[in-house]
Amino acid sequence: MGQVSDSSFSLVPTIPYDFVEPTPYTIRKILVYEVNGKPIQKAQAVFYSGLSIGQKITIPGEQIPKALSNLWDQSMFSDIQVYFQPNEDGTIVVIFRVEEQLRIDGHRFVNLSNAQSKKLDDETGLKGSKGTYITPNIINRSKEKIIAYYQEKGYYNVKVSVLRKQATQRDKKDSLVAKVGYENFDYLIDRGSKVKVQDIVFDGNEYFSDKKLRETIKKITRRHHKWNILISSKYIESKFEKEKSNIINGYLSKGYRDARILSDSIQLISSDRIVLHIQLFEGNLYRYRSINWKGNIKYTNGTLDTILGIRRGDVFNQIDLDEHLTANKNGYDVQSLYMNDGYLFFRMIPVEVGIFRDSIDLEIRIEEGPQTKVGVVEWKGNTKTSDRVIQREIRTRPGDVFSKSDIQRTMRDLSTLGLFDPEKLNVNPKPNAEDGTVDIEYLVIEKPSDQIELSGGWGGGGGMGMGNFNQGTNNTPSLIGTAGVSLNNFSRRKLFHPDLYNQFPSGDAQKLSLRAQSNGANFQSYSFSYGEPWFGGKKPNNLSLSFNHTVNSFDFRQKSDPLHQVLTSSIVQLNCNSRLNWPDDFFSLSYGVAFNKYQMKNMDGGFYGFPKGFKGISYNPTLTLSLTRSSLSDVIFPMSGSQFTIWLSATPPISLILNQDIDKMSITEKYKWAEYHKWKFDAEWYTPVYKKLILMTKVRMGFLGSYNPKLGLTFFERFQVGGAGMFGFNIAATEIISQRGYDNYTISATAMGSEAGAPIFNKFTIELRQAITTGQTATVYALAFLEAGEAWSSIAKYNPFQLKRAAGVGIRLFMPMFGLIGLDWAYGFDYAQVPRSGKPTQIHFTIGQQL
C-alpha cells in the first residue's frame, strides 16, 4: 500500500502505519484507474469492492483487505493494487489501480464440422461466451468437458490443447488492426482411436466364474469380439465405475455379504486396446441363523414373516431382503403393508445383532408411529380440465386412512385419462405430525388431447380392393381422403356458454368425434360418436352413442343404371361401460345394443359370398357384452400392465324363435334378418426390459357362429385378415384384422377362396418397443416385431399351429392433433402359401390405430 497524488497519480513516500492503534479515516473519494488505459466500468468496480463514500475505515484494518477480496472474486482483473491519499481533516482517498482480464472475442474447434462444433458448444457452455473474461478456470473447465465428452464416446486417450491468438478488427480505413484486450481461442482436439476392452481379468473369485462376472457388467463393459461387430466393447470410465457395483450386488444376492473390490487397474496393450484387471475379495457364504421382529404391535410376527418370505437357514441375500422390506415393485413388502394402512411415519431398521462364523442373527426394529389420516387434498396445473374430472379420479379422500396404494392408483388413473402428461404427473404429501394428518397435493400438466385428421391413402377401386366377379368392375387404385375431428376433452354443459369456451367447449373429459371418408363416387363413409365417461355424475359409467353411414359402389356405372352395384350400411349403437369392484377395480363391464341396416343392389354372383339373386334389405339387431381388465400404465405408450377383453355380440335367432320353414322362403326373405353370434378374445402384456425398452406380447382370437344350419353362416361380420387395415372401417360389414407381411385381406381370402371373409382367426404378436421421445408435443417410438396369424373357413379346418409368419421393423409417431401414424416394413415368410399376396416384403402405412 502506498500514497499517490490525486491529480498526478505519482507515488509519494509511504506514510507509517500503526498496527497497535490503527488510524481511523472517513472515505472522501474512491478512484479506479486501468493500467493500460482501457475503458473500464469504474462504478461497477467500486460497487463490487463494497466500499462507499462516507464509510468509516481504519488503516490498517479489515475493510480494505475485504474490498480487495471482493474484487478478486469477480474474476475481472489480472492485477489489483490499492493506494491511499490521506488528508489533514481525517478523510482519505482510496485509489484502486487495476489491470483488467483479457476477454474472449471468439472461439473455434479446428477441423470439426459445424454439427460437431455446435455439439461441443452446448457441452462446454462456450456458446455465447463472447466478451467473457478469460481466466485459467474457464480454459481448464472447457478442456475438461471436451475430454469428458469424447471419453464418453470411447476415446479414452483424447488430447485437447488451446491456442490463444490476438483478436483483430477492422478500423475506419478497413485495415486489420489488433482488438485491444481480446483474444481468440483455437481448440485443437486429437481424439485418437477408440479404446476397446480386449479382456476383463478377475482375480480372487471362486464362487463366480470370470464369465459370470463379466455378464454382470456387460451392459457397459464388454470384451472385444472380433467376430461380432454388433457388440460394443468401448471403454467408458464413468460408466465402468457405476457398473462395478453390479459385481458386488451379485455377490450380496448369493450370501457373500463381505464381498468387495480390493482394486482395479488398466493395462494398456496397444494404442486402442486395454485389459481391465479387477481384484476381488469374496469372503464367506452367510446364512440366516435367526430373524426376529421388535416393536411391531399392529401386525403379528407370523404376518410379517409371511411378507418377508425369508426363513432360518436361507442364504443371506441383501438384495432380496431390501426388496421384501421396502422395495417390491408390486407393493408386496413390509413397508407397503404399513403405509397402506395409514402408518405414514412408520420406520424400520434391520440390524445384524450377531454374526457367528457364517451365520447372521437379524433383528428388524420397527417404530410404527400413529395411524395417519388424509387431511387436505388439492391439485394444481389443470388449466383446461375441470376440477371435477380430477376429483372423481382421486382415491385419497379427506378423513380416510392414508394409503400408499391409493396414491399410486390415483396417479395411474389420472394418467390413463389421456389428458395429462404421464411423465410430469407428481404427488407431494405434506405430513402434519402435530395432528396426525397428511395433506396431499397432486401436480398435473395438461397435454394436447384433441385430434384433427386430414389424411390420404391409396386403395383399390370398387369395393376398396375387393375384386368383383361381375363385369364392369372398378379395380383402378384411387385416393381415399379422410377428414375428421376428435375432441377428447369436450364439455356438453358449456356448449351454450361461449364465455366458458377454451377455443371450444372443453374440460369435462367427454368425447366427441366427427369423421368423413371418401374416394369420390365409389366410397363414402360418415360417422359420429359421443361419450360421457361419468353418466349421471356419481359413478364411472361411460355412456356412448355412435352412428355410421357407409356407401360402397363396386363398378363404374352411374347410379341410375339398373345394374349399378351398391352396398349401403347404416348403424346406430348405444353402449354403457361400468367400472367393477370385483374381482378388483381394474375390471369393467360393457353392454350395449346396436341396429344395423344393410341395403344391397345387384350384390349377387359370388361377391362376399352373397347367393345369386340376393337383393333388398337386411337388418342386424345386436346385443353386445364384454368384460375387460386393464392395468395399463398409459394409453399411448404403456410401459407396464396388461389388458384382457372377452367380447360377445349376438343377434336374436329369429328363424328359430318364429319356427320358420327356411326351405319355402325366398332368398330375400331368408336373409332379411341376419343371425349370428360373434366371439372375440384379446390379451396384451407390457413388460419393461430396460428403461424405456418395452416388450409387448399380444394375442387376438375371433369366432363367428350361426344358430340355424339351414341358413348357414351370415355374410356379415366376418374377419378379413391381412395387411395394415389402414382405412379403419369395415367394408361390407366385415371386420378388418391387420396382419403385417401380407397384402390386404389376402390371408382370409386364401382360406375362403373369395373375399367374403373368414369366420375364425388367430393372431399372435411379439413387439419390442424403444421410446425415442414421450413429450407433450409428440410420442415417437421404434419397434421390431414377430407376428403370426391365420384365418379358417370352418371349425373342422381349424389348426392353431398352421400360421402365416412375418417379421419386421417400424416406427410410430403420435401427435395429439393428428393421432397415431405408423410405418412398418415386414417380410412374410409364408407368402408363397398366399398367392394373392404377391410379394414377400410389404410396406404398411397406418393412421389412427394400433396393429
Side-chain angles (χ1 to χ4, degrees):
M1 298 182 184
Q3 290 181 313
V4 296
S5 168
D6 189 352
S7 59
S8 64
F9 198 63
S10 59
L11 292 174
V12 299
T14 302
I15 62 174
Y17 300 117
D18 189 341
F19 288 93
V20 178
E21 294 185 7
T23 306
Y25 290 99
T26 300
I27 298 177
R28 190 181 73 169
K29 186 181 294 185
I30 303 172
L31 303 176
V32 180
Y33 293 93
E34 215 290 328
V35 174
N36 298 317
K38 294 185 298 182
I40 185 174
Q41 296 285 345
K42 297 183 179 181
Q44 189 179 46
V46 172
F47 173 78
Y48 285 136
S49 74
L51 299 177
S52 59
I53 295 175
Q55 181 181 348
K56 303 292 185 181
I57 64 172
T58 58
I59 298 179
E62 62 180 12
Q63 298 92 347
I64 298 302
K66 178 64 175 175
L68 290 171
S69 177
N70 291 341
L71 290 173
W72 281 118
D73 288 344
Q74 306 311 310
S75 300
M76 297 169 57
F77 309 108
S78 59
D79 184 41
I80 306 174
Q81 298 177 29
V82 62
Y83 298 90
F84 306 108
Q85 190 176 51
N87 301 300
E88 293 180 357
D89 59 359
T91 62
I92 194 168
V93 177
V94 180
I95 305 167
F96 290 104
R97 184 175 181 271
V98 300
E99 185 173 353
E100 192 180 31
Q101 294 272 28
L102 295 174
R103 297 175 185 252
I104 298 175
D105 188 55
H107 70 277
R108 63 173 183 160
F109 301 99
V110 180
N111 296 327
L112 293 187
S113 66
N114 288 336
Q116 291 173 315
S117 296
K118 288 179 181 179
K119 183 65 178 175
L120 286 179
D121 272 342
D122 295 334
E123 291 289 331
T124 59
L126 288 172
K127 187 176 181 179
S129 62
K130 185 173 182 177
T132 303
Y133 288 108
I134 301 173
T135 64
N137 181 53
I138 197 171
I139 297 173
N140 294 335
R141 188 173 68 246
S142 62
K143 289 173 64 176
E144 288 171 359
K145 289 186 175 182
I146 293 171
I147 290 172
Y149 171 77
Y150 278 101
Q151 286 185 344
E152 284 293 310
K153 295 183 175 296
Y155 297 98
Y156 185 66
N157 296 319
V158 61
K159 296 179 181 178
V160 180
S161 59
V162 180
L163 181 62
R164 301 172 62 170
K165 295 180 178 180
Q166 171 65 53
T168 57
Q169 61 183 356
R170 296 284 179 180
D171 62 10
K172 295 180 179 180
K173 297 180 180 180
D174 201 31
S175 300
L176 202 61
V177 297
K179 188 174 182 180
V180 178
Y182 287 84
E183 286 187 346
N184 289 322
F185 285 1
D186 281 354
Y187 285 88
L188 308 175
I189 302 171
D190 179 11
R191 66 183 189 180
S193 301
K194 277 191 177 182
V195 175
K196 296 187 177 182
V197 179
Q198 184 69 26
D199 200 1
I200 307 172
V201 178
F202 295 91
D203 190 21
N205 54 307
E206 294 182 3
Y207 180 80
F208 285 124
S209 66
D210 285 12
K211 180 180 179 181
K212 188 69 176 178
L213 289 172
R214 291 187 192 105
E215 289 178 355
T216 64
I217 57 174
K218 66 181 181 180
K219 289 182 180 178
I220 303 299
T221 308
R222 300 174 185 260
R223 300 169 75 190
H224 177 64
H225 292 275
K226 199 171 186 178
W227 49 269
N228 193 342
I229 61 174
L230 298 178
I231 293 181
S232 172
S233 60
K234 64 184 179 183
Y235 175 70
I236 301 175
E237 183 178 14
S238 61
K239 293 183 179 180
F240 172 61
E241 290 298 322
K242 295 178 182 179
E243 280 296 303
K244 286 194 297 186
S245 62
N246 287 348
I247 298 175
I248 302 305
N249 288 338
Y251 275 104
L252 291 177
S253 68
K254 298 299 182 182
Y256 291 88
R257 64 179 294 279
D258 297 330
R260 60 185 182 274
I261 295 176
L262 298 176
S263 64
D264 62 87
S265 59
I266 298 174
Q267 178 187 0
L268 186 64
I269 60 175
S270 69
S271 61
D272 61 350
R273 293 288 186 272
I274 62 172
V275 174
L276 297 177
H277 293 271
I278 301 176
Q279 180 73 34
L280 294 168
F281 173 76
E282 289 186 335
N284 296 326
L285 173 67
Y286 286 84
R287 296 179 182 272
Y288 294 102
R289 187 169 70 171
S290 65
I291 302 174
N292 297 305
W293 302 89
K294 185 177 180 180
N296 53 304
I297 300 173
K298 174 68 177 179
Y299 297 105
T300 65
N301 291 351
T303 300
L304 297 178
D305 285 340
T306 301
I307 299 294
L308 186 63
I310 300 174
R311 299 291 182 265
R312 177 182 179 181
D314 287 355
V315 171
F316 172 82
N317 185 332
Q318 185 67 55
I319 308 301
D320 187 60
L321 177 65
D322 292 342
E323 180 179 338
H324 284 87
L325 287 177
T326 62
N328 185 277
K329 63 181 181 180
N330 296 318
Y332 192 75
D333 55 65
V334 175
Q335 185 184 65
S336 295
L337 179 69
Y338 273 94
M339 294 192 72
N340 288 338
D341 200 16
Y343 292 89
L344 177 63
F345 302 103
F346 163 82
R347 292 182 61 199
M348 176 174 53
I349 304 174
V351 179
E352 296 174 357
V353 294
I355 300 175
F356 182 74
R357 293 182 182 175
D358 60 353
S359 300
I360 297 175
D361 295 326
L362 184 67
E363 183 177 87
I364 304 174
R365 299 171 182 174
I366 292 176
E367 294 180 18
E368 292 181 342
Q371 194 176 47
T372 307
K373 291 191 175 182
V374 177
V376 177
V377 180
E378 57 184 355
W379 48 90
K380 294 181 179 179
N382 54 313
T383 56
K384 180 179 179 181
T385 303
S386 302
D387 285 342
R388 64 177 185 172
V389 173
I390 299 175
Q391 183 178 8
R392 63 197 186 194
E393 299 298 336
I394 290 178
R395 295 171 180 255
T396 51
R397 305 287 181 176
D400 288 353
V401 173
F402 174 81
S403 173
K404 175 184 173 182
S405 62
D406 283 347
I407 291 179
Q408 293 172 332
R409 183 59 190 274
T410 297
M411 298 292 284
R412 181 258 176 195
D413 289 346
L414 289 173
S415 174
T416 55
L417 284 176
L419 306 177
F420 307 112
D421 187 341
E423 292 193 342
K424 295 183 179 179
L425 284 174
N426 206 348
V427 61
N428 183 21
K430 302 174 182 178
N432 305 308
E434 297 80 9
D435 59 3
T437 64
V438 55
D439 298 336
I440 301 175
E441 181 183 67
Y442 293 97
L443 305 175
V444 301
I445 300 294
E446 300 264 11
K447 72 174 185 178
S449 57
D450 303 309
Q451 299 174 16
I452 295 176
E453 184 179 0
L454 294 171
S455 62
W458 286 97
M464 306 304 296
M466 300 290 97
N468 193 328
F469 297 104
N470 292 343
Q471 294 181 352
T473 299
N474 177 8
N475 288 321
T476 305
S478 56
L479 179 68
I480 295 98
T482 303
V485 59
S486 296
L487 306 180
N488 294 311
N489 198 2
F490 182 70
S491 176
R492 177 176 49 83
R493 67 184 176 91
K494 297 179 182 178
L495 188 60
F496 300 106
H497 299 279
D499 55 313
L500 300 178
Y501 282 20
N502 187 346
Q503 296 180 337
F504 54 84
S506 62
D508 287 346
Q510 297 160 359
K511 299 183 185 300
L512 178 67
S513 176
L514 298 168
R515 194 167 187 258
Q517 286 184 303
S518 177
N519 72 342
N522 292 325
F523 170 77
Q524 300 95 40
S525 177
Y526 310 95
S527 63
F528 160 84
S529 67
Y530 170 78
E532 166 57 72
W534 280 65
F535 182 68
K538 295 182 178 180
K539 293 183 179 180
N541 297 318
N542 189 334
L543 186 70
S544 61
L545 175 67
S546 62
F547 173 77
N548 178 268
H549 179 73
T550 302
V551 179
N552 261 297
S553 300
F554 296 92
D555 55 27
F556 285 113
R557 297 183 177 96
Q558 299 296 320
K559 291 182 179 180
S560 58
D561 192 320
L563 298 179
H564 182 47
Q565 296 176 317
V566 181
L567 170 63
T568 304
S569 65
S570 301
I571 175 173
V572 60
Q573 186 170 6
L574 182 67
N575 191 75
C576 184
N577 185 289
S578 299
R579 190 183 300 170
L580 305 180
N581 293 320
W582 185 89
D584 62 36
D585 55 8
F586 287 108
F587 279 86
S588 62
L589 180 67
S590 179
Y591 42 93
V593 294
F595 188 84
N596 299 22
K597 176 185 176 183
Y598 301 108
Q599 188 166 2
M600 289 143 286
K601 180 181 178 182
N602 299 318
M603 300 297 294
D604 56 1
F607 186 76
Y608 277 101
F610 295 143
K612 190 171 181 62
F614 184 49
K615 58 183 179 180
I617 298 175
S618 181
Y619 299 104
N620 184 350
T622 58
L623 295 174
T624 59
L625 183 68
S626 68
L627 181 66
T628 299
R629 186 186 189 277
S630 177
S631 60
L632 299 182
S633 61
D634 186 41
V635 179
I636 306 302
F637 186 75
M639 298 182 66
S640 63
S642 59
Q643 182 168 290
F644 302 87
T645 301
I646 300 175
W647 184 89
L648 168 65
S649 177
T651 65
I654 294 176
S655 64
L656 298 180
I657 294 173
L658 300 180
N659 196 22
Q660 295 174 330
D661 188 349
I662 302 299
D663 296 332
K664 294 182 180 180
M665 298 174 68
S666 67
I667 292 178
T668 301
E669 292 175 329
K670 187 185 298 186
Y671 298 109
K672 181 176 181 180
W673 296 93
E675 294 185 17
Y676 64 85
H677 51 94
K678 185 177 182 180
W679 304 76
K680 291 190 294 183
F681 172 74
D682 290 350
E684 53 189 291
W685 299 263
Y686 294 85
T687 306
V689 178
Y690 179 70
K691 293 186 178 179
K692 292 187 178 182
L693 180 65
I694 309 299
L695 178 67
M696 188 276 286
T697 52
K698 190 171 186 177
V699 176
R700 298 193 67 192
M701 299 179 179
F703 172 76
L704 181 68
S706 62
Y707 303 114
N708 194 329
K710 291 186 178 181
L711 280 177
L713 196 66
T714 180
F715 314 120
F716 308 111
E717 297 296 330
R718 299 188 185 189
F719 304 106
Q720 291 186 312
V721 183
M726 168 184 164
F727 307 111
F729 51 79
N730 297 342
I731 303 168
T734 57
E735 183 173 352
I736 301 171
I737 306 298
S738 64
Q739 170 73 55
R740 289 168 286 191
Y742 301 89
D743 209 349
N744 291 342
Y745 328 130
T746 53
I747 293 178
S748 56
T750 300
M752 298 297 294
S754 70
E755 286 81 359
I760 306 171
F761 86 93
N762 284 177
K763 179 185 170 185
F764 306 91
T765 303
I766 298 177
E767 205 167 84
L768 195 62
R769 301 177 172 182
Q770 173 61 58
I772 299 173
T773 178
T774 54
Q776 289 189 49
T777 55
T779 296
V780 182
Y781 61 90
L783 59 89
F785 65 87
L786 297 173
E787 201 160 73
E790 182 58 287
W792 295 272
S793 59
S794 65
I795 285 288
K797 295 183 178 180
Y798 177 73
N799 181 356
F801 302 103
Q802 173 196 328
L803 302 171
K804 302 297 187 295
R805 301 160 298 163
V809 294
I811 193 165
R812 295 289 181 274
L813 167 64
F814 178 85
M815 299 181 67
M817 287 296 290
F818 300 102
L820 186 68
I821 301 172
L823 184 65
D824 293 301
W825 175 90
Y827 183 88
F829 295 104
D830 303 300
Y831 77 98
Q833 301 176 30
V834 187
R836 298 169 183 254
S837 190
K839 55 184 180 179
T841 58
Q842 298 282 337
I843 300 293
H844 300 291
F845 180 64
T846 59
I847 297 177
Q849 64 174 12
Q850 293 278 12
L851 292 179

